Amino acid sequence: DVHRRYLALVHGIPKDQTIVSHFVEDRGDGLRGSVERRRGRSHPVGSEKTQRAVTHIEVVERFPSGPAGQPCALVACRLETGRTHQIRIHLSEAGHPVLGERVYVRGYAAPLVPAPRVMLHAAELGFRHPATDKEMRWTSELPRDMAEMLAFLRGPDGRS
């Protein structure tokens, strides 16, 4: 039982939601992604293997307009499963790619807000210690570049 909470700056303003899907290595466009979101069949084909992926998304702060010129949001993502690129894929497939994303942005029609890297950060990690049964938890402050991007989105007065 592992606790993982990530913070991400995303395009648009998503709603609080839980995304459940089944990942495949190639959804048909050369990218890893959800069977449910690929073109054509929305179920496994032949011997195709899938992995269940569950991400809980909570909107922490909204930036409807402001300095970026496009709506953005700060979201918290709590993982039930830990699949490769799970948060990036789920947010992108929900129509809200992470700022700085260069891979999982296919089909996103609005202008992209530029960022120096993928604006995703592991803010909290934890688990129950197997020997002591004690809850172990670590937190990590936002890295400088992500804090600067957040300050930019908030605008000069600290709010967007």
Side-chain angles (χ1 to χ4, degrees), residues 11 70 107-112:
H11 291 90
Q70 297 293 323
Y108 186 71
L112 295 173

Side-chain angles (χ1 to χ4, degrees), residues 22 24 34-38 40-46 48 50:
H22 298 82
V24 290
S34 299
V35 153
E36 294 86 352
R37 298 296 298 227
R38 71 176 169 191
R41 297 184 183 186
S42 61
H43 59 277
V45 179
E48 187 174 49
T50 65

Side-chain angles (χ1 to χ4, degrees), residues 30-66:
L31 295 178
R32 181 173 178 76
S34 299
V35 153
E36 294 86 352
R37 298 296 298 227
R38 71 176 169 191
R39 294 183 185 170
R41 297 184 183 186
S42 61
H43 59 277
V45 179
S47 63
E48 187 174 49
K49 302 269 190 273
T50 65
Q51 293 180 307
R52 185 171 179 266
V54 181
T55 306
H56 303 279
I57 299 167
E58 172 192 358
V59 178
V60 175
E61 195 170 348
R62 293 167 177 78
F63 310 105
S65 56

Side-chain angles (χ1 to χ4, degrees), residues 6 64 76-77 80 113-114 116 119 132 134 138 148 156:
Y6 293 78
C77 300
E80 264 188 47
V113 175
M119 293 283 115
T132 65
K134 181 181 175 187
W138 294 268
E148 289 171 355

Side-chain angles (χ1 to χ4, degrees), residues 138-159:
W138 294 268
T139 61
S140 175
E141 296 294 319
L142 282 178
R144 181 179 297 172
D145 60 350
M146 196 164 164
E148 289 171 355
M149 179 61 75
L150 186 55
F152 168 74
L153 293 172
R154 287 179 176 144
D157 62 356
R159 319 170 293 200

Side-chain angles (χ1 to χ4, degrees), residues 23-41 48 85 88-89 92-93 102-108:
F23 283 5
V24 290
E25 287 298 319
D26 182 349
R27 64 181 183 193
D29 61 359
L31 295 178
R32 181 173 178 76
S34 299
V35 153
E36 294 86 352
R37 298 296 298 227
R38 71 176 169 191
R39 294 183 185 170
R41 297 184 183 186
E48 187 174 49
H85 299 171
R88 293 168 60 194
I89 291 168
S92 180
E93 289 182 351
R102 289 171 177 77
V103 176
Y104 299 104
V105 290
R106 292 185 187 173
Y108 186 71

